[in-house]
Amino acid sequence: MTSDLINGSPSSGGIRNDEASTLIESVRDSMPSDGSFDRKRLKDLALKLSIALETPGETAQRIAYLPAQTAVVRIANRLNIFHILATSNGPKSGTELAKMVGAEHALLIRLLRYLVSVATIGEVGVDSYVATNVTRSLSVPKIAAGVDHVCDSIAPCILALPNFLRKTKYQNPTDLAHCPFQDAFSTTDTMFEWYPKNPENLESFNMWMTGQREGRANWLDFFPLEEQLVRGFKDGKSDVMLVDVGGGVGHEVQAIKEKYPAIPGRFVLQDVPSTIKQARLVPGMEAMEHDFLTPQPVKGSRVYYLRNILHDWPDDKSELILSQIAAAMTPGYSMILINELMIPDQGANAIATQLDICMMSVFAATERTDTQYAKLMDKAGLKVERTWSDTSDGAESIMKVVLKKESGPV
């Protein structure tokens, strides 16, 4: 049966592929008779099987035209197509949708046909469209913001990467002020300087930061926070439990407070002035303007928390960020918790590797392996004491970092 599915003569377009045969058997083995299955494993196998069954032309089509999907979904976001379909009681025609969104019917039909073909919306008849699970996901503003953010701010940099690397004779980018971002947007600004001048782009970025974890484990689900933070905390009125360094508008502190409402101590949110103005404060949370490339003003906090900070910066700047915090730490008491993706030496997942390409293109920065992190910490006078990772997909890890020369518990 398996060979019948994939074998055929060249003239019939069939594919003879031992890899596909093996994958089909693996899919069968991953679907036990009791109906249970490992979602991630089955999804990975299905993707590999689909790719193994491609003809060379189909491979080229899949890779070369990926930007079309990002662009059309971005257009559909602006036209509110996904929200309309997700909240409708039944199918909508192209004519109805065109009137509702104010687009020319001939144009909209072309966009809808494409969205159906890439399984983003459903089609139940001629000119009759409905929501699917993908449609409903994209109707959530913070999920849609991810597409908007990538289309508007990231994709131009990635598409500028080939010519940039050719121009630089394929050297690893390490200069924030000289990377594909500047070529893509014809600017001398870094993205950090460019964002405040482009508030729509910044809004999409901030919203996506709250949505990118959807469907994935949160670090609070696998990190023993009470055991690691609360135990040993001094717990005086002025004592700081956690400083969220470069913490945006405060989502991480909010999440901690929600999961652990009785957690003691002060919580300090730090970021640049333009971001702190948008901070969403909750009881027990303070906002502080701070540039993390300068000395850390909060001394002796139990925890300094950095989420997705270091991957925005090349090694020299990351070392500076860490050194500024290290100088404020109390030996034997303070720790840094670093929440980042960690790339394994073998079998890296697409979430981490594609983000690494993004960081290269936008910031001349990188996603790091555990070995790279260990070297970086050592340069800053720190050491990784322990790492916790999300076992469901390995996409997120928490590193507990302490001073390299601890003087013992305080």
Side-chain angles (χ1 to χ4, degrees):
M1 176 64 73
T2 299
S3 61
D4 291 340
L5 292 173
I6 60 176
N7 294 345
S9 66
S11 61
S12 67
I15 300 171
R16 185 175 183 85
N17 193 324
D18 292 337
E19 181 185 1
S21 297
T22 301
L23 286 166
I24 289 170
E25 294 303 326
S26 296
V27 169
R28 287 174 174 161
D29 292 343
S30 298
M31 300 181 69
S33 57
D34 63 3
S36 64
F37 59 87
D38 182 329
R39 183 198 67 85
K40 181 180 180 298
R41 172 171 167 73
L42 192 56
K43 181 173 72 73
D44 290 345
L45 286 171
L47 176 60
K48 290 177 181 178
L49 176 58
S50 176
I51 292 172
L53 291 171
E54 287 180 345
T55 65
E58 289 168 341
T59 297
Q61 287 274 341
R62 174 176 56 82
I63 294 171
Y65 290 98
L66 280 174
Q69 187 165 341
T70 306
V72 175
V73 170
R74 177 66 174 111
I75 296 165
N77 283 346
R78 282 183 169 153
L79 294 176
N80 213 25
I81 295 293
F82 302 119
H83 175 75
I84 292 171
L85 289 177
T87 56
S88 295
N89 292 326
K92 292 288 184 185
S93 69
T95 301
E96 290 176 292
L97 288 169
K99 289 179 180 177
M100 294 175 75
V101 305
E104 183 183 357
H105 180 263
L107 169 66
L108 192 62
I109 289 297
R110 298 171 71 183
L111 299 175
L112 294 171
R113 278 199 303 256
Y114 177 81
L115 292 171
V116 169
S117 73
V118 294
T120 306
I121 64 174
E123 183 180 50
V124 293
V126 176
D127 194 28
S128 184
Y129 307 98
V130 295
T132 65
N133 285 338
V134 176
T135 312
R136 284 183 279 273
S137 294
L138 290 170
S139 71
V140 178
K142 61 185 178 181
I143 300 300
V147 178
D148 298 347
H149 163 62
V150 171
C151 186
D152 298 350
S153 302
I154 304 299
C157 306
I158 294 174
L159 292 175
L161 180 63
N163 284 338
F164 177 86
L165 291 179
R166 182 170 63 178
K167 181 173 64 177
T168 60
K169 301 187 185 305
Y170 300 96
Q171 300 301 299
N172 191 38
T174 57
D175 185 352
L176 178 66
H178 181 58
C179 62
F181 174 81
Q182 285 76 28
D183 288 357
F185 291 101
S186 301
T187 182
T188 57
D189 287 342
T190 66
M191 178 171 265
F192 297 116
E193 297 163 334
W194 180 83
Y195 260 145
K197 301 173 186 178
N198 295 272
E200 184 178 349
N201 298 68
L202 181 58
E203 182 180 0
S204 293
F205 167 76
N206 284 332
M207 190 176 294
W208 173 230
M209 290 302 98
T210 72
Q212 61 179 323
R213 283 177 171 163
E214 289 293 313
R216 289 164 45 195
N218 185 287
W219 69 282
L220 295 173
D221 296 329
F222 61 82
F223 175 74
L225 184 140
E226 290 182 301
E227 173 191 314
Q228 292 294 319
L229 274 59
V230 179
R231 185 181 301 173
F233 177 58
K234 292 178 180 178
D235 201 11
K237 275 191 175 182
S238 63
D239 289 316
V240 178
M241 171 63 82
L242 183 142
V243 179
D244 191 355
V245 182
V249 297
H251 296 296
E252 295 297 285
V253 174
Q254 290 175 41
I256 294 171
K257 288 282 191 177
E258 183 176 333
K259 190 173 180 69
Y260 300 97
I263 193 168
R266 295 165 54 203
F267 284 72
V268 180
L269 172 68
Q270 294 180 336
D271 215 306
V272 295
S274 59
T275 300
I276 285 295
K277 288 177 183 176
Q278 305 173 52
R280 302 169 186 175
L281 301 182
V282 296
M285 177 179 173
E286 309 164 28
M288 176 186 292
E289 295 179 0
H290 174 59
D291 176 354
F292 49 54
L293 294 171
T294 64
Q296 172 57 244
V298 180
K299 310 297 183 184
S301 175
R302 177 64 166 154
V303 183
Y304 298 89
Y305 176 76
L306 290 84
R307 177 173 183 260
N308 290 350
I309 299 296
L310 300 180
H311 78 161
D312 287 342
W313 298 88
D315 282 356
D316 58 340
K317 290 294 191 293
S318 292
E319 182 185 344
L320 175 59
I321 293 167
L322 291 166
S323 297
Q324 301 289 17
I325 297 174
M329 294 170 67
T330 298
Y333 176 74
S334 299
M335 70 183 79
I336 306 174
L337 291 183
I338 297 176
N339 186 341
E340 295 267 4
L341 304 184
M342 290 184 70
I343 299 182
D345 292 324
Q346 183 178 1
N349 65 54
I351 292 175
T353 56
Q354 69 190 11
L355 193 55
D356 183 44
I357 300 302
C358 292
M359 295 301 103
M360 180 195 303
S361 303
V362 177
F363 297 115
T366 183
E367 300 294 340
R368 296 176 174 89
T369 65
D370 55 354
T371 302
Q372 289 173 310
Y373 273 117
K375 290 179 180 177
L376 181 61
M377 299 305 155
D378 186 65
K379 289 180 180 179
L382 299 160
K383 63 181 179 182
V384 178
E385 185 175 274
R386 186 173 172 184
T387 299
W388 291 261
S389 296
D390 170 18
T391 56
S392 64
D393 63 13
E396 188 168 8
S397 295
I398 291 285
M399 286 169 277
K400 178 184 177 181
V401 176
V402 298
L403 291 169
K404 192 159 52 174
K405 295 182 179 180
E406 294 280 32
S407 62
V410 175

